[in-house]
Amino acid sequence: MSKKLEGKKIAILATDGFEQVELFDPRKALEDAGATTHIVSPKDGEIKGWNHTDWGDKVKVDVKLADAQPQDYDGLLLPGGVMNPDKLRMNPDAVDFAAAFMREKKPVAAICHGPWTLVETGMVQGKKMTSYESIKTDLKNAGANWVDEEVVVDNGLVTSRKPDDIPAFNKKMIEEFSEGRHNR
């Protein structure tokens, strides 16, 4: 794989209950493409993944959310899992962190339930997006144009529905992150 993301620094905003495959696989794809990734979390130490129906592996937190600066990053990855984005959307600092990427028109990639955090930013109105089907009403109510597609790109905002979509999600995420800021 080419090093399309050489020199890029990507924040992965997550907390306990992230869907394991939705963090680990995209993170590996980003790093294989040359990016530096940082797990940013409201928690210190480690966060625990969710592996389909049970607790999964832990991952080390690189930067505590309170110390993370959006201007230090070129893009944002929001993995899903039900618990992870539900906790993040209730955390004003996490919502502010995600909103900064949207405001600055930096690329954002969110999969499965990950777009829940973006709903709380108030910045999805008019955006073409997809997600896990159970949160489509939340996205529609926030003004997004929800569609049932494997991967959707809207000016640097990349969304996918579920773990089966990860190969397409990773491809588009890398493409959008390599392009940098977008007009949205």
Side-chain angles (χ1 to χ4, degrees):
M1 179 180 279
S2 72
K3 298 291 183 183
K4 291 174 89 167
L5 299 180
E6 196 74 49
K8 301 266 185 180
K9 201 163 148 186
I10 308 300
I12 302 172
L13 181 60
T15 193
D16 287 326
F18 65 88
E19 185 64 47
Q20 189 168 295
V21 69
E22 294 171 0
L23 187 151
F24 291 160
D25 287 12
R27 182 184 200 187
K28 181 179 181 336
L30 289 167
E31 290 175 351
D32 286 350
T36 298
T37 63
H38 286 164
I39 303 295
V40 175
S41 180
K43 291 186 64 181
D44 263 333
E46 294 180 327
I47 55 175
K48 190 186 298 187
W50 189 255
N51 191 9
H52 303 296
T53 59
D54 207 350
W55 289 108
D57 296 334
K58 293 179 180 179
V59 66
K60 179 184 168 295
V61 172
D62 297 303
V63 181
K64 189 156 181 192
L65 179 59
D67 300 324
Q69 300 298 318
Q71 64 267 23
D72 293 341
Y73 297 96
D74 300 295
L76 175 65
L77 169 61
L78 296 168
V82 177
M83 289 178 273
N84 170 56
D86 195 45
K87 290 175 185 177
L88 292 176
R89 70 185 180 141
M90 298 297 291
N91 181 318
D93 293 332
V95 173
D96 289 347
F97 188 78
F101 287 85
M102 298 292 283
R103 244 188 335 274
E104 294 297 318
K105 300 175 171 72
K106 291 181 179 181
V108 174
I111 187 166
C112 199
H113 289 76
W116 248 351
T117 305
L118 297 177
V119 166
E120 295 300 319
T121 69
M123 298 178 173
V124 299
Q125 183 148 359
K127 304 282 184 242
K128 183 178 178 186
M129 300 175 73
T130 195
S131 67
Y132 196 74
E133 190 173 5
S134 67
I135 68 166
K136 78 177 176 184
T137 301
D138 297 321
L139 285 164
K140 286 180 175 182
N141 287 342
N145 173 18
W146 190 90
V147 294
D148 184 11
E149 295 176 14
E150 181 179 52
V151 64
V152 174
V153 178
D154 187 335
N155 291 313
L157 176 60
V158 180
T159 52
S160 280
R161 305 168 300 185
K162 56 191 174 189
D164 290 347
D165 298 339
I166 288 174
F169 176 73
N170 287 349
K171 182 179 177 189
K172 285 297 183 183
M173 172 182 62
I174 289 168
E175 183 180 306
E176 296 303 304
F177 284 11
S178 72
E179 291 174 7
R181 293 178 194 257
H182 290 68
N183 270 336
R184 51 170 180 253

